[in-house]
Amino acid sequence: MHSLPSISTDYFLNPAFQREEPYGEQRASILNAGALASAGQEITAWPGYQVTPRHSLGGLADALGVASINYKDEGSRFGLGSFKALGGAYAVGRLLCRVLGQQLGRVVNPSDLLQGELRQAASSITVTCATDGNHGRSVAWGAQLFGCRCVIYIHASVSDGRRQAIERYGAQVVRTEGNYDDAVRQADRDARAKGWHVISDTSYPGYMDVPRDVMQGYQLMVQEVVQQLGAWPTHVFVQAGVGGFSAAVCAYFWERDAQRRPFFTVVEPTRADCLLQSARNGRITAVTGELDTLMAGLACGEVSLLAWDILERGANAFCTVDDDAAVAVMRLLAHPPRNDAAIVAGESAVAGLAAAIGIASNPEARAAFRINAESRILFFGSEADTDPALYRQLVGASAADVLETQA
């Protein structure tokens, strides 16, 4: 049997979770099947759209003593390296339709933007956001796709590789002092002063529409994998930053069948666990400080309000893993058990799988999470090597080297 890394986790079983609780109108006002259908119709019409692969990892399932493990690999999404293309770029398109519609006094459809009829008008509009890397790349790509200007704010610890990847799509990149949440506030201040439009995946009082669009776009990925699987998973482990991604996944299953939905676990870095702390305290709780973690895409200290509206009562459990666990699982996926596919997974892609390995390997935790030989566990590999130099440093091989081993 393949040797798995030894991983310790801190977990909290959510006392607010009630399986009988319906999804309800309030949560449906955030994310719903009708809005997903609209998002899917638009996104699937974009140039380069393809369904991303789902890997069945039988060797890893055997090693963990479960029935199946499935990994939705978002590394090829629109050539951007992560699932974020589904959210940020979709929100850019939606915002441009609203703004241009108001300016022109008529309905503007997404197809109008793609056909280039309104590119001159769009070029006078500037979108902006703060990012750890992937969201900013998605917003920059969306701005390039639809013809508007883009300014992206990155905080002090974002790597130069990620900065360059954003600039590749024509965006101006501004580096700020402090952490991700400081960059969010700087982007908001500058946008107000200059008449720009913020495309954030973080919702806060007075700012809900755009983050809702971002989350709605994410759900297309869930719809894809459900169609690929056939049978629903019994467990889902999803990594989280501000919570928008994990809430989108949680809401998809909850809306469709509250009784049958999977055991849902939110996973964060040990040093950026705002969702776990919020659950423990029974109220939204910010985590301050440097938020220093290799899992840069998850280095967030403040919970998105819309995400919390779903996760507060929709998540079964919250869990944390440290950087060593993330690196160990990156290496495990690069050099997998027996016949499993080699997978290039970035440092922010693997927290869910790392947590599941830690939980499933601990008899007490395994029982608490109801993991057994019949369990079907789903993971979302949210990024590939979005920082190729860092990936090579951590894994000891480049993405090309990893994939060549299975060719």
Side-chain angles (χ1 to χ4, degrees):
M1 181 175 291
H2 194 91
S3 177
L4 296 179
S6 177
I7 294 174
S8 61
T9 61
D10 179 24
Y11 67 87
F12 178 73
L13 297 175
N14 185 12
F17 175 84
Q18 297 292 330
R19 182 162 296 281
E20 296 76 21
E21 183 171 354
Y23 188 61
E25 291 184 5
Q26 191 274 331
R27 282 176 281 264
S29 70
I30 302 172
L31 297 171
N32 62 79
L36 172 57
S38 297
Q41 184 177 14
E42 178 176 340
I43 294 169
T44 57
W46 291 351
Y49 170 77
Q50 290 183 323
V51 175
T52 53
R54 182 267 308 178
H55 301 291
S56 177
L57 304 179
L60 186 54
D62 289 345
L64 281 179
V66 298
S68 68
I69 286 178
N70 282 280
Y71 183 98
K72 177 68 165 168
D73 187 355
E74 287 294 298
S76 60
R77 183 69 73 179
F78 287 110
L80 298 187
S82 87
F83 78 104
K84 289 283 189 176
L86 295 172
Y90 176 63
V92 170
R94 291 268 292 172
L95 179 130
L96 289 175
C97 285
R98 290 193 293 269
V99 172
L100 291 172
Q102 291 168 359
Q103 291 179 357
L104 300 172
R106 64 177 178 86
V107 174
V108 174
N109 296 312
S111 58
D112 299 329
L113 301 175
L114 280 178
Q115 291 170 7
E117 298 173 8
L118 300 176
R119 289 188 77 85
Q120 185 172 352
S123 68
S124 67
I125 299 169
T126 300
V127 295
T128 188
C129 73
T131 187
D132 289 305
N134 291 340
H135 177 68
R137 193 184 307 192
S138 171
V139 170
W141 178 73
Q144 185 180 74
L145 179 67
F146 298 124
C148 65
R149 296 183 64 250
C150 183
V151 180
I152 303 294
Y153 290 77
I154 59 174
H155 55 89
S157 61
V158 174
S159 70
D160 283 338
R162 289 197 168 88
R163 173 183 59 79
Q164 292 164 5
I166 295 168
E167 290 175 335
R168 204 168 294 136
Y169 294 99
Q172 176 188 349
V173 179
V174 178
R175 190 181 290 276
T176 68
E177 299 296 323
N179 61 27
Y180 169 79
D181 300 302
D182 296 317
V184 168
R185 286 185 278 271
Q186 185 65 54
D188 186 64
R189 284 194 297 269
D190 288 358
R192 290 175 186 274
K194 299 178 181 181
W196 298 345
H197 300 273
V198 175
I199 305 291
S200 178
D201 55 359
T202 304
S203 58
Y204 42 86
Y207 184 76
M208 299 291 183
D209 289 346
V210 170
R212 183 183 293 113
D213 288 339
V214 171
M215 294 165 65
Q216 196 67 75
Y218 292 163
Q219 283 198 323
L220 180 60
M221 167 185 54
V222 192
Q223 179 175 281
E224 286 179 1
V225 79
V226 166
Q227 292 170 349
Q228 289 170 319
L229 287 172
W232 273 22
T234 61
H235 295 74
V236 181
F237 287 75
V238 181
Q239 50 272 18
V242 300
F245 171 37
S246 53
V249 180
C250 179
Y252 181 93
F253 291 106
W254 191 357
E255 181 185 10
R256 282 152 185 79
D257 195 330
Q259 294 293 323
R260 193 166 62 98
R261 56 184 154 144
F263 190 107
F264 192 87
T265 303
V266 177
V267 186
E268 300 170 279
T270 301
R271 296 178 180 174
D273 60 343
C274 56
L275 288 157
L276 185 146
Q277 294 303 329
S278 297
R280 277 194 167 137
N281 294 331
R283 56 180 172 80
I284 288 181
T285 303
V287 175
T288 58
E290 293 300 315
L291 309 178
D292 185 24
T293 172
L294 277 173
M295 294 172 269
L298 312 180
C300 306
E302 298 181 16
V303 176
S304 171
L305 297 183
L306 291 175
W308 188 243
D309 282 345
I310 292 167
L311 296 174
E312 180 183 18
R313 302 176 71 85
N316 295 78
F318 298 82
C319 187
T320 61
V321 294
D322 62 21
D323 285 354
D324 288 344
V327 175
V329 174
M330 290 171 69
R331 293 172 178 166
L332 174 68
L333 289 173
H335 307 288
R338 57 178 180 88
N339 296 322
D340 288 354
I343 296 171
V344 175
E347 58 277 11
S348 295
V350 295
L353 179 52
I357 292 172
I359 294 295
S361 301
N362 178 319
E364 180 181 347
R366 185 182 177 97
F369 281 64
R370 302 198 290 275
I371 295 175
N372 56 44
E374 303 302 315
S375 297
R376 303 181 303 276
I377 310 180
L378 174 63
F379 303 96
F380 291 87
S382 48
E383 67 170 6
D385 60 330
T386 52
D387 185 335
L390 181 58
Y391 180 85
R392 185 176 190 123
Q393 175 188 333
L394 296 176
V395 175
S398 68
D401 292 338
V402 167
L403 296 177
E404 189 176 315
T405 62
Q406 67 177 1

